Amino acid sequence: MATTATTVGAKVEVLPNYVGGAWRPSKAKEFLDIYNPATGEVIARAPCTPPEEVDEAVRAAKEAFEEWRRVPPAERVQYLYKLKRLLEENLDELARTITIECGKTYQESVGELRRGIENVEVACGIPTLMQGYLSEDVARGIDEFLIRQPLGVVVAITPFNFPGMIPLWFLPYAIACGNAFVLKPSDKTPITAQKIYKLIEETGLPKGVVSLVNGAKETVDALLEHPDVQAVSFVGSTPVAHYVYAKAAQHGKRAQCQGGAKNPIVVLPDAPLERVAKIVAESAFGCAGQRCLAASVAIPVGEAAEPFAEAIAEEAKAKKVGFGLDEGVEVGPVIRAEAKARVERFIQKGLDEGAQALVDGRNAKIPGYEKGFFVKPTVLYGVPPRGEVAKTEIFGPVLSVIPMKTLDEAIRWVNEHHYGNMACLFTRSGEAARKFRYEVQAGNVGINIGVAAPVAYFPFSGWKESFFGVLHGQGRDAVEFYTQEKVVIERWL
Ligand code: NAD
């Protein structure tokens, strides 16, 4: 889905880049409109930063790296302690910004920031986390040890749906490990990152250690092709994740690329179905279904089918849809008019494939927000398990219900699916839970959990087409990703 490119001239703010410790207007020829998706208004413009300015940012980062890597880790993390404090103090302002540019509710924005801050906290443990190890006397009088060193300039390319949290999956670990970091935020929600960077500036972090370049494909390509970029972290849709992974490899860089999802929740008849329906509704419709861990398929097994379908339809109908800063709103808009049109097309596709709409959220009219990009929660019952709708990530508040006869049948379906981001099971049976956890092919597994999002000291996993790479974001994986191992064999004659 393209974001409209416009020429300069209109009166909204044009976002600057942050290069070498200074805010700089870009000399870009093309700019991207940034919307408030609840009102449909353009609220800012972001430059499509050209390759020569990307080069300046990477060169400034490289220069800063030479000094930064020599700063002791315990001193490096002092800037992160300050950042944590500033993020807490500015939580309200940041949450409002997320809601305004991304559409999710204020509470969802606060939750996202809490998850981001958690990563800053974990990265403060780098002095311990990046320690190496040593063996004395691998041969007589010879010792051998492993040390972890930073890579150099590393970049992150992030998606629209968590503009506060996802940059913080990477930035704190990258710089705590001694790297210089360049962020290319989403071309649809770049304002939150600007505000976070202003807070980073207040910490007094040495110039050039972090930079920010706005843009879309051309800017990403310039980063991927740059010889001084050592590593790439990407989060976004699967086709782009695959493209970035392949291109990073072609240019000799390490990469971790998180992609899209189609997350199933299996519900066994012994689970407390009304309570489960509430949890599944929150997972499927929260953030307007625009979470990579949103439940998009519910698989009620056996006699759970009918009562679960009834309960989830009630939950969907009851959700209050609107602008996320307004009182009582539970579901915001989707990100763009094109996203709304696409989601509505998939609802129609589901009906064409033979499903029944228990709740149809198309043609939503929200008083006062007639130009917003709203789709109300939708429940499609009896979606064919091997059809287009069951296969495709819709990324909107649409839950497909696919009843199945047995847990084995459900696990088989999950394992055949090309995505493997999350899979959840609701049951009271320990035996069923163990079987599911053991057999299911997905990176994040929830047992009686609706959004199985790992905390910051665990990796954010992902399998199959939901992840390309070896080391994931967050936790120890992040430390390994952002450091290279040096093994020293030492003897004193
Ligand atoms: P997207 O793939 O459109 O964009 C992601 C980033 O890539 C953005 O910074 C964008 O500017 C850039 N980009 C877009 N097209 C590009 C191209 N052709 N070449 C190079 N760069 C390009 O994703 P999105 O719409 O911003 O985000 C939603 C997607 O992200 C969903 O598929 C969702 O499942 C996924 N996501 C995954 C995770 C996860 O952890 N697996 C987390 C959040 C979101």
Side-chain angles (χ1 to χ4, degrees):
M1 185 185 37
T3 305
T4 340
T6 57
T7 46
V8 222
K11 280 192 194 85
V12 294
E13 186 195 0
V14 175
L15 304 175
N17 292 329
Y18 187 68
V19 174
W23 291 99
R24 289 199 203 162
S26 170
K27 296 189 190 77
K29 295 207 169 61
E30 275 203 320
F31 292 78
L32 301 158
D33 287 343
I34 309 304
Y35 292 83
N36 175 339
T39 60
E41 288 167 311
V42 174
I43 51 173
R45 291 205 163 84
C48 296
T49 304
E52 45 298 0
E53 290 177 19
V54 169
D55 179 53
E56 281 168 25
V58 174
R59 277 195 283 121
K62 193 179 178 204
E63 211 182 302
F65 167 69
E66 295 305 331
E67 275 302 309
W68 181 242
R69 66 159 293 201
R70 291 177 162 73
V71 175
E75 223 177 282
R76 293 199 294 250
V77 299
Q78 297 309 313
Y79 298 98
L80 294 179
Y81 285 113
K82 287 187 197 156
L83 178 61
K84 171 185 156 62
R85 181 176 52 77
L86 288 166
L87 288 167
E88 299 277 3
E89 285 170 8
N90 291 275
L91 198 76
D92 176 64
E93 155 78 2
L94 289 169
R96 284 172 182 278
T97 306
I98 293 176
T99 296
I100 289 168
E101 70 170 342
C102 185
K104 63 182 67 172
T105 68
Y106 178 79
Q107 280 315 322
E108 289 168 342
S109 299
V110 169
E112 145 165 20
L113 286 164
R114 289 252 154 261
R115 283 302 181 110
I117 292 170
E118 210 176 84
N119 280 279
V120 179
E121 291 165 355
V122 172
C124 286
I126 287 291
T128 323
L129 290 171
M130 77 180 283
Q131 280 176 331
Y133 50 88
L134 180 146
S135 288
E136 248 184 358
D137 291 325
V138 293
R140 273 175 198 281
I142 299 182
D143 304 328
E144 187 161 330
F145 52 97
L146 178 141
I147 46 186
R148 293 196 168 276
Q149 295 194 333
L151 303 170
V153 180
V154 300
V155 312
I157 299 150
T158 54
F160 81 79
N161 61 334
F162 284 94
M165 177 183 77
I166 293 184
L168 294 175
W169 276 357
F170 305 114
L171 182 150
Y173 303 99
I175 66 171
C177 288
N179 301 284
F181 177 85
V182 182
L183 175 68
K184 205 299 285 170
S186 162
D187 50 286
K188 299 187 184 78
T189 55
I191 305 173
T192 307
Q194 297 258 323
K195 296 203 170 171
I196 292 176
Y197 266 62
K198 289 199 172 122
L199 299 180
I200 295 175
E201 211 180 5
E202 276 184 50
T203 67
L205 187 74
K207 291 181 188 314
V209 174
V210 299
S211 299
L212 181 158
V213 287
N214 288 287
K217 182 174 174 15
E218 188 195 18
T219 310
V220 171
D221 282 342
L223 287 166
L224 295 175
E225 286 164 12
H226 202 293
D228 291 327
V229 169
Q230 305 300 330
V232 181
S233 302
F234 173 91
V235 183
S237 59
T238 287
V240 184
H242 189 261
Y243 168 80
V244 169
Y245 190 62
K247 196 163 172 99
Q250 190 193 345
H251 289 271
K253 305 177 196 321
R254 67 170 67 177
Q256 48 179 192
C257 299
Q258 299 181 216
K262 186 86 180 176
N263 302 307
I265 292 194
V266 179
V267 183
L268 297 189
D270 67 349
L273 295 181
E274 286 195 3
R275 183 134 180 247
V276 173
K278 273 196 193 322
I279 298 171
V280 175
E282 168 43 34
S283 176
F285 310 130
C287 297
Q290 299 177 124
R291 280 188 192 118
C292 67
L293 295 179
S296 43
V297 175
I299 306 179
V301 171
E303 61 208 34
E306 230 175 83
F308 175 79
E310 272 172 31
I312 194 78
E314 287 312 309
E315 292 296 330
K317 278 182 218 153
K319 292 277 179 206
K320 183 169 175 202
V321 180
F323 178 33
L325 291 183
D326 289 347
E327 200 56 35
V329 165
E330 297 168 286
V331 178
V334 296
I335 190 71
R336 290 286 180 271
E338 295 88 332
K340 173 180 158 81
R342 181 175 179 277
V343 172
E344 294 191 339
R345 264 199 317 278
F346 270 102
I347 297 173
Q348 184 56 48
K349 178 89 193 154
L351 302 180
D352 295 345
E353 286 183 341
Q356 178 196 352
L358 300 184
V359 190
D360 186 341
R362 289 177 292 179
N363 306 313
K365 301 272 177 291
I366 310 298
Y369 298 100
E370 285 74 12
K371 294 199 172 136
F373 314 135
F374 291 97
V375 183
K376 287 190 173 176
T378 297
V379 180
L380 297 175
Y381 186 84
V383 169
R386 281 170 189 79
E388 201 61 25
V389 168
K391 205 163 61 183
T392 314
E393 179 181 52
I394 299 175
F395 225 52
V398 180
L399 180 71
S400 298
V401 181
I402 308 180
M404 293 191 189
K405 287 197 180 69
T406 61
L407 177 60
D408 279 308
E409 187 188 357
I411 293 177
R412 212 173 311 120
W413 184 85
V414 174
N415 291 352
E416 278 171 14
H417 208 286
H418 56 111
Y419 288 123
N421 216 33
M422 177 185 92
C424 300
L425 177 74
F426 280 82
T427 183
R428 285 195 167 109
S429 155
E431 187 191 359
R434 193 199 184 260
K435 177 184 170 69
F436 186 81
R437 153 165 80 73
Y438 189 83
E439 292 184 7
V440 86
Q441 290 174 17
N444 303 296
V445 172
I447 303 296
N448 299 315
I449 298 286
V451 179
V455 292
Y457 36 97
F458 281 87
F460 192 104
S461 191
W463 285 19
K464 297 189 274 187
E465 288 184 21
S466 297
F467 180 73
F468 303 98
V470 179
L471 295 165
H472 296 89
Q474 297 197 149
R476 287 184 213 159
D477 271 32
V479 180
E480 285 188 38
F481 184 77
Y482 287 127
T483 54
Q484 49 197 339
E485 294 162 333
K486 185 178 271 179
V487 178
V488 181
I489 305 164
E490 189 173 285
R491 158 163 75 187
W492 293 92
L493 301 174

